[in-house]
Amino acid sequence: MCESSLAELLRSRGLRLTAQRQLVLQAVMELGHATPEQVHSAVREVAAGVNITTIYRTLELLERLGLVTHTHLSHGSPTYHAAGEHQHVHLVCRECGAIDEIDPELLRPLADQLAVHRGFQVDIGHVALFGVCGQCEDGGQK
């Protein structure tokens, strides 16, 4: 998202564009999948005075505005990514920590069954499947 579009969106909500908000959004977009701590590290390279509380508050604001979304890929902090990206299911390797993505349509039959039989609507953008990636399974010989 360009700076002027972000500024317009914030103004339409009665907010202003701050350097911290711009830096946090830029960091999320550049990092792909990032925890608040990783975003904080990236932002501090440019603006050393930004604290972790500001990062968390800004990520919450950007999520309310529909610019970023999060998922839980481990027991730790949530992982954020740009909301404009296509929805995807996360594959998380328990061995090496690698994160891969698959098309959510692969889970569509399961999601449809849950809707029919349980009345449960799956939020596919928040789905994370844990296991062992092919590289780790093969002993790293790929």
Side-chain angles (χ1 to χ4, degrees), residues 6-130:
L6 177 58
E8 283 178 30
L9 178 61
L10 289 167
R11 269 196 302 275
S12 74
R13 303 281 177 99
L15 303 166
R16 61 187 180 87
L17 176 62
T18 64
Q20 291 92 343
R21 290 173 179 164
Q22 186 175 352
L23 288 170
V24 169
L25 181 58
Q26 181 179 344
V28 170
M29 294 176 88
E30 289 175 1
L31 293 170
H33 291 94
T35 65
E37 292 77 14
Q38 291 167 323
V39 171
H40 185 233
S41 291
V43 168
R44 286 193 58 171
E45 289 179 14
V46 178
V50 178
N51 64 42
I52 191 70
T53 303
T54 299
I55 300 297
Y56 274 97
R57 287 183 182 149
T58 303
L59 287 168
E60 288 173 7
L61 171 66
L62 294 174
E63 188 161 26
R64 282 195 311 271
L65 294 172
L67 299 173
V68 301
T69 189
H70 79 278
T71 193
H72 294 272
L73 301 180
S74 68
H75 294 294
S77 298
T79 300
Y80 288 83
H81 57 88
E85 296 179 355
H86 65 285
Q87 272 201 330
H88 52 269
V89 174
H90 299 90
L91 303 178
V92 183
C93 180
R94 290 189 190 274
E95 297 290 322
C96 69
I99 301 169
D100 200 0
E101 302 171 1
I102 61 170
D103 189 322
E105 289 307 308
L106 291 171
L107 291 187
R108 182 62 49 212
L110 174 61
D112 291 345
Q113 288 294 316
L114 289 170
V116 169
H117 296 291
R118 300 286 180 110
F120 187 83
Q121 300 298 315
V122 176
D123 180 358
I124 291 178
H126 280 94
V127 173
L129 301 173
F130 294 84

